[in-house]
Amino acid sequence: MSESKPAKPAVAYGKPVSEADIASWNIDIRTSDGKGLPAGSGTVAQGKQIYEAKCAACHGPDAKGGPQYGTMVGGIGSFTTPQRVLTPGSMYPYAPILFDYIRRAMPMDRPQSLTSDEVYAVSAYILYLNGLIPENFVMNAQTMPTIQMPNREGFILDDRPDVKNERCMRDCKPIRG
């Protein structure tokens, strides 16, 4: 006499992923021209308020350095000197990089918690403190890519031979280790 085993439940791993699900994770921004920047806007004054509430504890008053991090202001022109001061104003070649970084990583204890309007505003405040935009500047997807960053031409292309190789996509031979 054999005992019958209970039927195994059907395997189910989560639910199908929709295009909308994928779109919510796609937050890439092409930093050279701002493609992918979201709708929204922010001003320097709004950014100052948000900065003081959510950023100053780590970055210090007026972004001049705090208990966790050094200054985010100044250093423009120092990138080619032995005394480099690494700030968004001194080293970022394109302003949308600042938006991308703040949105992905800040505040450190709650990354991706800021709204697009808040990120635009904080970006405006930091770039204003660096003397790169006027106090009445309205930051949005159209204006941010127009900001001329001082170190835009300060980077060199990686011209090592291996970065120019074309990927083989036909009749590829397997790599053997």
Side-chain angles (χ1 to χ4, degrees):
M1 185 168 160
S2 69
E3 292 183 29
S4 65
K5 294 182 179 179
K8 291 184 178 180
V11 176
Y13 298 103
K15 64 177 186 168
V17 177
S18 70
E19 290 299 319
D21 293 333
I22 294 170
S24 70
W25 281 86
N26 183 3
I27 59 172
D28 289 351
I29 295 170
R30 190 165 62 199
T31 57
S32 60
D33 63 6
K35 182 179 179 186
L37 283 168
S41 67
T43 65
V44 171
Q46 293 165 333
K48 181 175 178 22
Q49 291 178 339
I50 296 163
Y51 178 88
E52 289 173 350
K54 299 183 178 187
C55 313
C58 293
H59 294 281
D62 301 321
K64 292 181 179 171
Q68 299 295 321
Y69 303 102
T71 187
M72 291 192 297
V73 177
I76 293 174
S78 70
F79 208 69
T80 58
T81 71
Q83 301 293 320
R84 291 188 288 173
V85 179
L86 302 179
T87 68
S90 73
M91 64 181 278
Y92 288 4
Y94 304 104
I97 295 171
L98 183 59
F99 184 97
D100 188 63
Y101 182 74
I102 292 171
R103 179 168 69 173
R104 287 180 190 276
M106 295 292 131
M108 182 174 269
D109 63 338
R110 286 166 283 134
Q112 299 185 26
S113 65
L114 298 175
T115 67
S116 294
D117 289 344
E118 290 174 318
V119 176
Y120 278 121
V122 171
S123 298
Y125 180 60
I126 291 170
L127 294 177
Y128 166 74
L129 292 174
N130 278 278
L132 300 174
I133 61 172
E135 190 169 6
N136 63 352
F137 193 88
V138 177
M139 189 76 73
N140 58 42
Q142 289 73 45
T143 60
M144 190 170 217
T146 67
I147 299 168
Q148 183 65 39
M149 300 299 284
N151 200 29
R152 182 172 287 185
E153 306 303 325
F155 291 83
I156 57 172
L157 295 176
D158 187 350
D159 62 354
R160 293 174 292 180
D162 60 331
V163 300
K164 295 178 182 174
N165 291 341
E166 290 186 32
R167 180 178 287 182
C168 173
M169 301 305 289
R170 283 183 293 182
D171 302 323
C172 301
K173 295 180 181 171
I175 298 172
R176 299 183 197 273

